Amino acid sequence: GIYNVKLTDQNDCDAFDEVEVVILDQPEVDLGVDQRICEGEIVTLSVNNPNGYDVLWSTMETGNSIEVTSSATISVTMTNGSCFDTDEVIVIVDSKPIAMIISDDVCFGEEISFDNGQNLLNVSYFWDFGDGTSSALKNPSKNYTFPGDYSVELEITDLVTGCRSIDDVSVIIHEIPNPNFVVIDDCVGETVQFENLTPESSGLNFLWDFGNG
């Protein structure tokens, strides 16, 4: 507003003037509570700024919001002329447990073992064997009902932070070959013919033992 000013000196002489005083609004900034996220995640920090005040973050970014992916103490200052307000928040990024599946292909009918390969504390395990069955054991074993190619997934969850990681592998349960052949009899001294009637399948190797050493 406009204010009148009167100045009186020691001789009772008066002087008058007027001055305009502008009362600026005080910015208010609130980043909320501290944030905790898992490795690989993003937290967005933002301020409410309907009046379009100047905003400067401790990361030297401007604007009403920033994205944070690593542990840090983040502060922000909102300025309106000579008036300002500041707030800060702590961002903690927790590491994920590492999910890692170790397993080998087996023949149908054999038990297949799965190993996480690590000794982790305060975690839970969830195995999906790709055939509709699952397990919560650390290093489970199982027998598949049918031969085939199965996608196995392991999810590990940190029971303290809630952070999770997933690994998946493909395991092959090989079908057991069914060897079959016939012998075409011949006379002594002539060549005996053996005909292989085994159903064709990729990856088969044949070793004949004729029983004569």
Side-chain angles (χ1 to χ4, degrees):
I2 304 298
Y3 294 87
N4 294 315
V5 180
K6 176 183 177 182
L7 176 64
T8 302
D9 64 13
Q10 59 184 0
N11 298 315
D12 289 330
C13 296
D14 297 328
F16 298 90
D17 199 1
E18 66 180 21
V19 62
E20 182 178 5
V21 178
V22 178
I23 307 298
L24 299 175
D25 291 330
Q26 173 66 39
E28 294 183 2
V29 57
D30 182 10
L31 293 178
V33 299
D34 294 340
Q35 302 283 335
R36 194 164 200 143
I37 60 175
C38 297
E39 181 182 2
E41 295 179 347
I42 298 174
V43 60
T44 300
L45 302 179
S46 59
V47 295
N48 183 28
N49 187 17
N51 296 318
Y53 298 144
D54 293 332
V55 176
L56 179 63
W57 300 84
S58 56
T59 59
M60 304 310 296
E61 296 173 84
T62 58
N64 293 334
S65 65
I66 62 171
E67 293 183 343
V68 181
T69 59
S70 59
S71 296
T73 299
I74 304 295
S75 63
V76 63
T77 300
M78 183 182 294
T79 304
N80 178 26
S82 60
C83 301
F84 66 91
D85 191 22
T86 300
D87 194 18
E88 71 176 22
V89 67
I90 297 174
V91 177
I92 298 175
V93 179
D94 292 308
S95 60
K96 292 181 178 181
I98 300 175
M100 179 177 61
I101 300 176
I102 301 175
S103 184
D104 295 317
D105 298 339
V106 298
C107 296
F108 178 63
E110 296 179 348
E111 186 177 70
I112 183 171
S113 298
F114 298 94
D115 188 355
N116 180 48
Q118 302 175 86
N119 186 23
L120 302 176
L121 300 176
N122 298 317
V123 299
S124 65
Y125 299 88
F126 182 79
W127 295 83
D128 183 342
F129 298 119
D131 65 343
T133 64
S134 61
S135 173
L137 298 177
K138 177 183 178 182
N139 299 316
S141 300
K142 75 169 273 111
N143 288 87
Y144 280 90
T145 306
F146 301 99
D149 191 338
Y150 296 89
S151 178
V152 178
E153 183 178 280
L154 168 62
E155 178 181 276
I156 300 181
T157 302
D158 189 311
L159 299 178
V160 176
T161 66
C163 296
R164 302 180 299 168
S165 67
I166 296 176
D167 189 25
D168 62 89
V169 298
S170 178
V171 298
I172 300 176
I173 309 301
H174 297 282
E175 187 172 1
I176 301 296
N178 184 22
N180 186 23
F181 69 94
V182 295
V183 179
I184 302 175
D185 294 332
D186 217 328
C187 298
V188 175
E190 295 183 358
T191 302
V192 178
Q193 298 292 322
F194 298 89
E195 183 177 356
N196 188 355
L197 301 179
T198 304
E200 293 186 6
S201 178
S202 62
L204 289 182
N205 294 313
F206 298 94
L207 177 65
W208 294 85
D209 183 352
F210 299 112
N212 62 351

